[in-house]
Amino acid sequence: MTETAGLTFDVAALRQRYADERARRIRPDGIAQYVEIAGEFARFGEDPWVDGTFTREPLTDEVDVAIIGAGFGGLLTGARLRELGVDSVRLIDRAADVGGTWYWNRYPGIACDVESYVYIPLLEELGYIPAEKYAKGAEIFAHCRRIAEHYDLYRDACLQTDVQEIRWDATSSRWIIRTNRGDEMRAKFVSMANGYQAKPKLPGIAGLGSFRGHAFHTSRWDYAYTGEKLENLADKRVGIIGTGATAIQCVPHLAAATQHLYVFQRTPSSVDVRANQPTDPQWANALQPGWQRERIQNFQILTAGGQAAEDLVADAWTSITRKLPVMRHDSDGALDPIQRSRDIEIADFAKMEEIRGRVDEIVADSATAEALKPWYGYFCKRPCFHDEYLQTFNRDNVTLVDTRGRGVERITESGVVVDGVTYELDCLIFATGFEVGTDYSRRTGFELIGRDGATLTERWSDGVRTFHGLCANGFPNCFIESISQAGLTVNFPYLLDVQATHAAWIIAWALEHGASEVEASPGAEAAWVDTVVARSAATAARASTCTPGYYNREGKADAKTRQGSFFFGTPTEYADILAAWRATGELDGLDIRGPKAAP
């Protein structure tokens, strides 16, 4: 029997097609192809939600915990600290309010793509139920503010404040935080909750700065230009560059509002069914205590390849393990690894054939439908879900400009050029995502300077090094929340809560026991790094066949990328490891130093 026997698709042909599509998109410059939002492009990062008149006096005070970032990571860390009795907590963020992603991103159509009952944290603690299965951005932003109010996190917060440097002072065992407001505040502990995708980026297209029409990035949507309901676009020719998760959501709204919309595509996203619906009040009223934690765990298990007796969420995310059991973890190791790898590949092909078949069912024009089909593995890019995006390309006022993997040729004063054809535009929108994989200080806009003057950028120049994905040797009393060397998930607030809970516990323990310094030991850090690298082998091999994207450093994944990858394990293994570590109360792997009086 051949490996294609009984299948409705040709495995060898699909492998070749995937390889060909990857090859045409590989660029020698990798992530360097993108342009930093700085200098002449700094305007693309300006805050459209404030008037710029805010002032305050510089601070030189001290807090127990400074949290850098007021998105879900910062809010969850603050909440868990409050629950443990830590009172002196300060949020610091460049935004004018809490919310992080949900403060900055307010483009039309924005919503969570993971079910809101598992995505939005602290629902049960705050007694709140979202209005829909997939909540809109405004509702999520409002919940962020609700968390801050409930846990009294606005008190002492420093918003509209750009951190410029965080430096360790060994004489007092304090972090000194300098900002654009002239602050030199001090903190016993610092939690870095800056966000995984926080700094928007632009494509390095020739003539990027030459366009004389109106241009902006989706994370800084210009409603002053478009109108609150996009009514100002009725006589406008609009172009959007990028077809990732953001474009999937805003393109249908642009199409309905503009005179003509041009969608410039390098690589199509996979777009599965969304099937949003209002929350059933009868269901909500019947929820029992502990319902959200149970639902979050269930979703995490199923989307990370585990098995559960029941699928509580039952959506397109969980369908891949529900419909394709071979994608689940082989916990007992009964299957031959080579055969298991082949089985997973076949299951992935089947899922992507289903995705491509949906395009044919929806899009009327065959050439457009063909261009919208994704030819890569299901998890090579973040899967997308929508019930109006593909349908948009049936509209007469919408043109898909498929660059067949090469990207836009150049930008001129009047529009965008692809294959020598100029598309005249009044407005150009960049849905080009956020910086991933660049130096830490570039992504954050400041440097973290630890013991003996070593910067985190320098220490991580050869790859991320942490203990438990949170603590780094040479950076005492500091916790760095990110996906690097942390547990795999598609529901990022789940991971943020796992990390926030752990960091808060260590901080509370240190404050209670009078410890002046808590730092990852070199041995514990090295062991964790080795574990992450060893466990990433199979995934790294699969990533090397993926189409370029931010998951694999635009197809240039290397040993450094592998070292900074997720901690791969069973679905809840990372959280279980941290919980078991806390349960011992022994703080193995951390060097603890005794009290040291501040000067």
Side-chain angles (χ1 to χ4, degrees):
M1 177 183 290
T2 69
E3 61 181 341
T4 59
L7 299 178
T8 59
F9 50 84
D10 186 326
V11 170
L14 282 176
R15 285 175 182 159
Q16 188 60 53
R17 179 67 185 270
Y18 284 16
D20 291 344
E21 294 292 338
R22 169 185 161 84
R24 74 169 66 200
R25 288 167 172 80
I26 289 288
R27 292 174 47 141
D29 48 359
I31 63 172
Q33 69 187 268
Y34 296 104
V35 172
E36 183 178 8
I37 290 184
E40 65 174 303
F41 302 112
R43 62 187 176 87
F44 285 95
E46 292 174 357
D47 189 343
W49 318 117
V50 296
D51 59 14
T53 61
F54 171 77
T55 61
R56 64 169 174 78
E57 291 298 313
L59 296 173
T60 57
D61 59 351
E62 180 174 312
V63 294
D64 283 342
V65 188
I67 302 174
I68 315 302
F72 276 151
L75 291 169
L76 282 163
T77 302
R80 299 311 181 196
L81 284 166
R82 287 279 196 256
E83 290 172 348
L84 293 171
V86 179
D87 184 65
S88 180
V89 176
R90 170 170 290 156
L91 294 178
I92 306 173
D93 200 297
R94 64 170 51 95
D97 206 341
V98 301
T101 290
W102 302 101
Y103 171 88
W104 294 109
N105 291 275
R106 307 189 198 186
Y107 55 81
I110 184 172
C112 56
D113 66 357
V114 168
E115 186 196 67
S116 57
Y117 317 127
V118 302
Y119 176 81
I120 302 176
L122 303 171
L123 291 178
E124 193 167 357
E125 289 87 340
L126 272 65
Y128 182 77
I129 301 294
E132 298 174 275
K133 189 173 177 70
Y134 302 97
K136 303 292 192 299
E139 184 180 11
I140 302 173
F141 182 28
H143 188 72
C144 291
R145 296 196 296 269
R146 191 178 296 114
I147 292 170
E149 290 167 357
H150 181 85
Y151 289 99
D152 195 20
L153 296 175
Y154 281 118
R155 171 168 51 99
D156 295 331
C158 290
L159 301 173
Q160 295 191 62
T161 299
D162 261 317
V163 173
Q164 295 181 328
E165 178 187 275
I166 303 179
R167 182 182 293 269
W168 177 250
D169 177 17
T171 62
S172 62
S173 295
R174 298 291 189 273
W175 287 100
I176 301 174
I177 304 164
R178 295 182 171 88
T179 78
N180 66 328
R181 300 288 176 184
D183 304 313
E184 288 195 14
M185 59 187 85
R186 305 166 72 84
K188 294 179 183 178
F189 294 88
V190 167
S191 178
M192 311 294 290
N194 316 61
Y196 169 54
Q197 296 186 20
K199 184 175 183 178
K201 67 175 187 272
L202 295 171
I205 300 170
L208 178 63
S210 64
F211 183 61
R212 293 295 173 257
H214 198 77
F216 57 87
H217 191 279
T218 50
S219 67
R220 306 292 190 271
W221 195 273
D222 191 350
Y223 283 106
Y225 175 83
T226 67
E228 288 299 318
K229 296 182 178 180
L230 310 188
E231 66 273 11
N232 297 345
L233 300 180
D235 62 346
K236 300 292 191 297
R237 300 160 299 175
V238 177
I240 183 167
I241 296 177
T243 52
T246 294
I248 298 302
Q249 295 190 102
C250 70
V251 157
H253 295 267
L254 287 168
T258 57
Q259 178 191 102
H260 202 94
L261 177 66
Y262 295 93
V263 180
F264 298 97
Q265 173 184 274
R266 182 168 65 175
T267 304
S269 288
S270 66
V271 186
D272 209 339
V273 175
R274 175 73 305 166
N276 194 16
Q277 57 191 1
T279 296
D280 179 358
Q282 186 174 355
W283 168 82
N285 291 333
L287 292 171
Q288 299 299 308
W291 72 267
Q292 190 184 26
R293 185 169 296 278
E294 179 186 8
R295 199 174 185 91
I296 289 171
Q297 287 285 103
N298 181 261
F299 183 80
Q300 171 64 17
I301 289 169
L302 289 174
T303 54
Q307 302 182 51
E310 183 180 7
D311 182 354
L312 297 176
V313 174
D315 68 355
W317 273 117
T318 61
S319 72
I320 192 164
T321 51
R322 187 172 67 247
K323 294 179 180 178
L324 308 170
V326 72
M327 300 296 282
R328 298 173 186 158
H329 278 278
D330 177 29
S331 56
D332 60 5
L335 295 179
D336 173 70
I338 296 177
Q339 184 60 48
R340 174 167 171 74
S341 180
R342 288 175 178 167
D343 289 347
I344 288 175
E345 180 188 39
I346 297 300
D348 196 296
F349 282 150
K351 178 63 180 179
M352 291 304 289
E353 283 287 277
E354 177 186 307
I355 295 290
R356 290 187 286 266
R358 183 170 184 253
V359 178
D360 282 330
E361 292 171 1
I362 293 173
V363 180
D365 180 73
S366 59
T368 303
E370 192 61 31
L372 286 166
K373 293 177 182 177
W375 298 96
Y376 47 79
Y378 187 69
F379 288 110
C380 284
K381 289 181 174 289
R382 186 171 176 88
C384 295
F385 312 89
H386 211 276
D387 296 329
E388 298 172 15
Y389 177 76
L390 294 174
Q391 290 85 341
T392 296
F393 295 95
N394 292 330
R395 297 179 62 104
D396 293 337
N397 71 322
V398 175
T399 300
L400 176 68
V401 184
D402 181 37
T403 69
R404 296 187 296 282
R406 296 190 299 273
V408 167
E409 183 179 327
R410 69 182 185 276
I411 296 172
T412 69
E413 291 187 0
S414 61
V416 169
V417 180
V418 175
D419 285 339
V421 177
T422 299
Y423 297 85
E424 302 284 339
L425 303 173
D426 299 297
C427 176
L428 180 57
I429 301 172
F430 293 97
T432 46
F434 303 86
E435 291 206 11
V436 176
T438 51
D439 286 344
Y440 187 81
S441 58
R442 172 170 160 168
R443 297 197 307 276
T444 61
F446 64 86
E447 190 58 85
L448 183 69
I449 305 169
R451 194 183 300 283
D452 301 323
T455 70
L456 190 64
T457 298
E458 292 167 346
R459 289 293 299 273
W460 285 2
S461 60
D462 294 326
V464 173
R465 301 190 63 81
T466 73
F467 174 52
H468 285 163
L470 277 168
C471 307
N473 180 256
F475 298 86
N477 295 5
C478 183
F479 301 87
I480 306 166
E481 297 180 14
S482 79
I483 64 171
S484 295
Q485 301 188 350
L488 174 68
T489 188
V490 301
N491 180 24
F492 290 117
Y494 160 81
L495 174 60
L496 290 172
D497 198 18
V498 167
Q499 294 187 319
T501 298
H502 195 67
W505 187 92
I506 295 173
I507 292 170
W509 182 97
L511 291 172
E512 180 184 351
H513 291 81
S516 61
E517 297 181 16
V518 178
E519 181 180 355
S521 71
E525 181 184 80
W528 188 257
V529 171
D530 289 346
T531 299
V532 169
V533 171
R535 291 191 177 210
S536 66
T539 303
R542 286 195 290 271
S544 67
T545 66
C546 279
T547 193
Y550 71 83
Y551 278 11
N552 63 359
R553 289 177 61 88
E554 297 298 331
K556 296 289 184 178
D558 52 17
K560 181 177 176 180
T561 309
R562 180 174 165 185
Q563 185 170 313
S565 71
F566 283 110
F567 167 89
F568 290 101
T570 54
T572 63
E573 185 176 357
Y574 176 70
D576 294 341
I577 287 172
L578 298 193
W581 184 93
R582 293 193 301 272
T584 68
E586 297 176 1
L587 284 80
D588 284 344
L590 294 181
D591 290 335
I592 313 295
R593 299 175 181 87
K596 187 179 292 185

